[in-house]
Amino acid sequence: YVLLLAGLTQLGIPSSEITLCTGLPVDYVNELKPRLIKHLTDPQSHRVVRNGVVSEYRFSQVVVTSQFYGAAVGALVNNNPVAPFLLGNRPVAIVDGGGGTFNFGLLDKMNPVKDTTFHENIGSWQMIPSIRKILMDKFRLPPIHDYEVMNILKTGQLWHKSRTTDVTEYLAHPKGV
């Protein structure tokens, strides 16, 4: 909730009435959706102060969906190469990996296929300690922070002792994982 409000202010959205679409892990949507909608559509405004600037938001409509479904919609909206398959004649498997969960599901012409959605309570943040140890051992690094490991995973580049090392191949085929 706090990150939602912080995100709206970071985007520069002034105090306003907002329609919100958000996602939850697939196994929690049915349980948490009514409470989330009730909380966000409360007639009281949601007030946030950031850098001395006060913003107040009212959510006129809140749509809550499964996180994996949001990944598919994002592919359509952003004209991703997978977009034609999402509207095609065969079901498409969607895997949405995040910081805390991985969400899975099958879509058939953008409709979730019954009994095919689930999530695992593991995400990139749970894997960081193992990846950190592997990188530190392999490349003889001093202790590195979570954000540094995430940057290495995103870029495939390791910066150490004033030089850059491409670790893409090693990350694709790690030893010891």
Side-chain angles (χ1 to χ4, degrees):
Y1 172 73
V2 171
L3 291 175
L4 165 64
L5 296 178
L8 292 172
T9 61
Q10 179 68 30
L11 289 170
I13 297 174
S15 297
S16 65
E17 190 166 302
I18 294 173
T19 297
L20 175 71
C21 180
T22 188
L24 291 171
V26 295
D27 293 342
Y28 300 139
V29 170
N30 291 335
E31 175 188 343
L32 299 178
K33 180 179 180 175
R35 289 189 305 191
L36 181 61
I37 291 172
K38 184 176 191 267
H39 176 70
L40 291 175
T41 57
D42 183 301
Q44 298 294 319
S45 66
H46 303 271
R47 186 173 190 260
V48 63
V49 179
R50 185 170 183 172
N51 298 326
V53 176
V54 177
S55 298
E56 292 191 27
Y57 301 104
R58 283 190 172 75
F59 298 98
S60 58
Q61 182 178 7
V62 176
V63 177
V64 180
T65 186
S66 298
Q67 285 176 332
F68 88 95
Y69 194 76
V73 170
L76 286 175
V77 171
N78 294 315
N79 203 19
N80 186 291
V82 78
F85 296 102
L86 292 168
L87 301 173
N89 294 324
R90 296 187 319 212
V92 175
I94 304 293
V95 178
D96 173 47
T101 61
F102 266 72
N103 295 276
F104 304 86
L106 278 179
L107 292 177
D108 188 6
K109 296 184 182 86
M110 289 300 293
N111 294 304
V113 176
K114 186 177 174 152
D115 298 327
T116 66
T117 61
F118 67 98
H119 90 277
E120 293 293 335
N121 282 322
I122 187 165
S124 59
W125 289 116
Q126 289 88 356
M127 296 178 212
I128 293 299
S130 298
I131 296 169
R132 175 189 301 110
K133 182 176 180 348
I134 292 166
L135 289 170
M136 287 170 51
D137 291 349
K138 167 69 179 170
F139 297 101
R140 297 187 185 109
L141 300 173
I144 55 179
H145 297 283
D146 289 355
Y147 72 88
E148 293 172 301
V149 175
M150 291 302 285
N151 193 49
I152 292 167
L153 292 173
K154 284 185 212 172
T155 65
Q157 302 294 310
L158 170 66
W159 176 260
H160 182 61
K161 294 187 177 179
S162 300
R163 71 173 216 259
T164 302
T165 304
D166 185 335
V167 295
T168 310
E169 186 61 30
Y170 183 75
L171 291 173
H173 306 285
K175 311 278 187 284
V177 176

